Amino acid sequence: MKRISLLLFFFLLPSLAYAVGEIRVSPAKLEVIADPGEQLTPTISLDNLSDEASTVILTLESVDPTETGVETLGGVGADDPSYSFVSIPQQKFTLAPNSRTNASLRIAPTKETPPGSHALALIITQIRAPEEGKETRVISRVAVLVIITVTGELHPSAALSGFNTSDQRRLYTTQVVPLSIRFKNRGNGYLNPYGIVSVHSLFGRLLSRHQIDPWYVLPNSERSREFRITLPYVGIYRVTLEQNRGYQDIIDTSAISLIYLPRWLVVLTLLALAGAVFAMIKRSRA
């Protein structure tokens, strides 16, 4: 089955909403902790932003971790053992114009459900009744990432796997520098690593600190995150990342050196070198 990327901002905090087309969904990411034998019915909020009624269809799809988030793999079957404890009580309903309603999931892990984090996508398809002689219109298709952690024997295991500039360079002619973090989660539960990036001068003076907000990394996956920092002036810098793994307060540290030389200074330096070489050649011939 062809993989399709999820159309949603999974990096948003769980409390935030986002809108696509004529529907607004909140939260963008649903996190649930469930004990074996427990039954939960978490809800999401759906807002119809249009002046027309719409039909909403809810489905579940399995997901696969990628370096930047997740992508869907297709529908989840009722007999799929990985997600047999998750269902949708009401899969189809009508959303009145400019109205809000709640949609729910039923989560009921059993004693046989493997402990750890299970991720899937709740797909929300908004359709509108066809006009005479026309086909049904799909207004929007959005998704909520659902992460369910079943309690039991959780084995956190992770580490920072890379910290570098996004383009592997060390010399920059612009003040804005793109950086990239790679984090590998080898455990059976999902993690929210976070950290601080510090920029020091060549002589060790702290110039700036940049907060890296928590971001999710699913079990048995490696994920990258990119961001930018601004170097204040010409010079050589030491950029240090201190990243908390998201469990047991373990911190990984990595550092790189960067040089900022504006383009005009590079040009002047090259011209000066060329002039010096020309003068030496001219003097040797004299």
Side-chain angles (χ1 to χ4, degrees):
M1 179 175 292
K2 184 180 180 181
R3 299 184 179 186
I4 51 175
S5 297
L6 290 177
L7 181 59
L8 69 113
F9 307 102
F10 281 156
F11 55 83
L12 293 178
L13 295 178
S15 60
L16 299 183
Y18 74 104
V20 176
E22 299 177 356
I23 194 169
R24 181 168 56 221
V25 180
S26 176
K29 177 161 62 73
L30 186 63
E31 302 176 42
V32 180
I33 299 176
D35 298 325
E38 183 180 19
Q39 181 173 315
L40 302 175
T41 55
T43 62
I44 61 168
S45 174
L46 302 176
D47 291 277
N48 186 355
L49 305 179
S50 74
D51 296 326
E52 299 182 50
S54 296
T55 297
V56 175
I57 301 174
L58 306 178
T59 55
L60 292 173
E61 293 194 10
S62 55
V63 299
D64 190 34
T66 68
E67 280 199 5
T68 55
V70 297
E71 61 184 9
T72 58
L73 296 177
V76 175
D79 57 347
D80 189 331
S82 301
Y83 305 100
S84 58
F85 63 97
V86 186
S87 60
I88 304 174
Q90 186 178 1
Q91 294 183 305
K92 187 176 182 180
F93 53 88
T94 299
L95 193 55
N98 299 303
S99 67
R100 169 179 290 186
T101 191
N102 289 329
S104 63
L105 289 175
R106 180 180 178 272
I107 299 173
T110 67
K111 293 181 179 181
E112 287 71 36
T113 303
S117 296
H118 307 260
L120 48 80
L122 175 62
I123 306 297
I124 304 154
T125 304
Q126 181 189 20
I127 62 175
R128 185 154 296 147
E131 300 176 6
E132 187 176 351
K134 296 184 179 180
E135 296 182 352
T136 301
R137 287 187 296 155
V138 176
I139 306 301
S140 62
R141 186 175 185 267
V142 297
V144 171
L145 177 63
V146 181
I147 302 177
I148 305 164
T149 299
V150 179
T151 60
E153 294 188 13
L154 300 179
H155 305 285
S157 175
L160 176 70
S161 56
F163 175 57
N164 206 340
T165 56
S166 300
D167 50 12
Q168 314 297 313
R169 292 164 53 194
R170 291 292 181 268
L171 173 63
Y172 285 87
T173 57
T174 60
Q175 289 178 275
V176 178
V177 176
L179 297 176
S180 176
I181 300 172
R182 294 180 66 88
F183 184 82
K184 190 167 187 176
N185 182 359
R186 297 183 293 265
N188 63 342
Y190 93 102
L191 297 171
N192 286 314
Y194 60 94
I196 293 287
V197 170
S198 304
V199 180
H200 292 82
S201 69
L202 178 63
F203 304 102
R205 186 164 69 92
L206 177 63
L207 302 176
S208 63
R209 289 168 65 89
H210 307 265
Q211 181 173 318
I212 308 300
D213 293 327
W215 47 304
Y216 76 89
V217 183
L218 295 179
N220 299 306
S221 69
E222 186 173 27
R223 189 176 178 195
S224 63
R225 177 171 183 172
E226 296 191 355
F227 59 99
R228 296 174 182 272
I229 61 171
T230 300
L231 303 178
Y233 43 74
V234 176
I236 301 175
Y237 299 90
R238 189 70 171 170
V239 181
T240 303
L241 167 67
E242 297 172 276
Q243 179 169 275
N244 192 305
R245 296 183 184 181
Y247 67 93
Q248 300 175 4
D249 205 27
I250 302 173
I251 297 176
D252 296 317
T253 302
S254 182
I256 57 175
S257 295
L258 298 175
I259 301 174
Y260 166 50
L261 290 176
R263 185 171 283 105
W264 63 266
L265 184 57
V266 174
V267 172
L268 285 180
T269 302
L270 292 176
L271 288 175
L273 289 174
V277 171
F278 179 76
M280 291 176 60
I281 294 175
K282 187 175 181 180
R283 188 177 304 166
S284 64
R285 292 178 177 178

